[in-house]
Amino acid sequence: KQEVTQIPAALSVPEGENLVLNCSFTDSAIYNLQWFRQDPGKGLTSLLLIQSSQREQTSGRLNASLDKSSGRSTLYIAASQPGDSATYLCAASSNAGNNRKLIWGLGTSLAVNP
Amino acid sequence: EAQVTQNPRYLITVTGKKLTVTCSQNMNHEYMSWYRQDPGLGLRQIYYSMNVEVTDKGDVPEGYKVSRKEKRNFPLILESPSPNQTSLYFCASSPTLGESYNSPLHFGNGTRLTVT
């Protein structure tokens, strides 16, 4: 049974720091690994999706890596800004036929202080 | 603007009073899904739909119903709500396997439901 864990649960950093959020999963047979951002009172926004055949994806100041063999993904945020404050969730997509079966981590709550 | 729209955003109701949370997407997506989010438990899938008239249970379907009569709409129905269904609910959509299984999910802004 796939389990997804995110460490740390909360993180507070000063503005400008580079930081890494961690996501680990127990079953390496994943279709893809997705990172989402959740702001209070709003839905989830997709940040990056890494297919199982890929090693990393980049979007602006965000870089996500995937190491299936070790069951780990990291989200790297460069030059953090107060606007990056949010909860970051990772989700592993398993091979469950037609269903977009996503197993979710509990998230890392990030606070970037001015 | 491409979006998933849920209504209402907030809902307070009493035990046993039937309610419907609506979800509509304007992206012509085949796949739609409902999740609930609870502290310490994360996001859990309630029901999903691969296309019109095709629905199936997720991980926590008890106490919920869905329908998919039109491609754009996927309402979540609570026939007899109970306090343990107090939660934050999200609707999501994406293109299905035929277009791109590796397309990200698009989420609505959520519905916070309180059942007293």
Side-chain angles (χ1 to χ4, degrees):
Chain A
K1 179 185 172 184
Q2 179 73 278
E3 293 182 3
V4 176
T5 304
Q6 291 186 248
I7 295 173
L11 184 62
S12 181
V13 300
E15 182 177 3
E17 265 201 18
N18 302 323
L19 56 99
V20 174
L21 307 182
N22 296 297
C23 173
S24 61
F25 47 94
T26 55
D27 186 352
S28 63
I30 61 172
Y31 222 116
N32 59 55
L33 192 291
Q34 302 182 42
W35 283 92
F36 293 85
R37 168 183 173 142
Q38 184 173 17
D39 294 279
K42 295 187 178 181
L44 286 75
T45 302
S46 177
L47 297 174
L48 290 165
L49 182 152
I50 313 173
Q51 298 180 33
S52 62
S53 58
Q54 298 173 328
R55 297 283 298 195
E56 66 178 340
Q57 282 285 331
T58 299
S59 176
R61 294 182 293 108
L62 305 179
N63 176 278
S65 68
L66 176 65
D67 184 343
K68 285 176 56 179
S69 61
S70 66
R72 293 185 61 186
S73 177
T74 61
L75 179 67
Y76 175 82
I77 303 177
S80 58
Q81 304 170 359
D84 294 329
S85 299
T87 297
Y88 291 81
L89 296 160
C90 70
S93 179
S94 67
N95 296 324
N98 290 331
N99 186 17
R100 295 294 299 272
K101 181 74 170 179
L102 291 176
I103 307 299
W104 296 81
L106 294 181
T108 294
S109 178
L110 173 65
V112 181
N113 306 305
Chain B
E1 179 189 354
Q3 59 185 1
V4 178
T5 303
Q6 290 179 232
N7 281 297
R9 293 292 310 277
Y10 301 92
L11 180 58
I12 301 174
T13 191
V14 296
T15 299
K17 186 176 181 181
K18 180 180 179 180
L19 65 91
T20 300
V21 184
T22 63
C23 174
S24 180
Q25 51 92 6
N26 61 2
M27 296 167 281
N28 202 38
H29 287 165
E30 283 84 6
Y31 182 92
M32 297 185 75
S33 180
W34 277 101
Y35 294 87
R36 61 178 288 175
Q37 186 178 35
D38 302 286
L41 296 176
L43 278 143
R44 294 177 291 171
Q45 190 181 50
I46 303 170
Y47 269 94
Y48 67 96
S49 170
M50 293 301 298
N51 213 325
V52 176
E53 302 292 0
V54 181
T55 63
D56 210 342
K57 297 177 181 178
D59 295 316
V60 288
E62 295 78 20
Y64 304 95
K65 286 175 58 177
V66 293
S67 69
R68 189 90 183 274
K69 295 185 173 61
E70 307 164 281
K71 197 171 188 179
R72 62 183 293 129
N73 296 323
F74 190 44
L76 179 69
I77 303 156
L78 283 72
E79 294 271 2
S80 183
S82 63
N84 64 13
Q85 292 179 298
T86 293
S87 186
L88 180 58
Y89 291 86
F90 289 105
C91 179
S93 73
S94 79
T96 191
L97 269 174
E99 291 184 40
S100 174
Y101 190 71
N102 281 307
S103 290
L105 281 172
H106 297 257
F107 280 81
N109 283 341
T111 295
R112 185 165 293 281
L113 171 65
T114 302
V115 183
T116 62

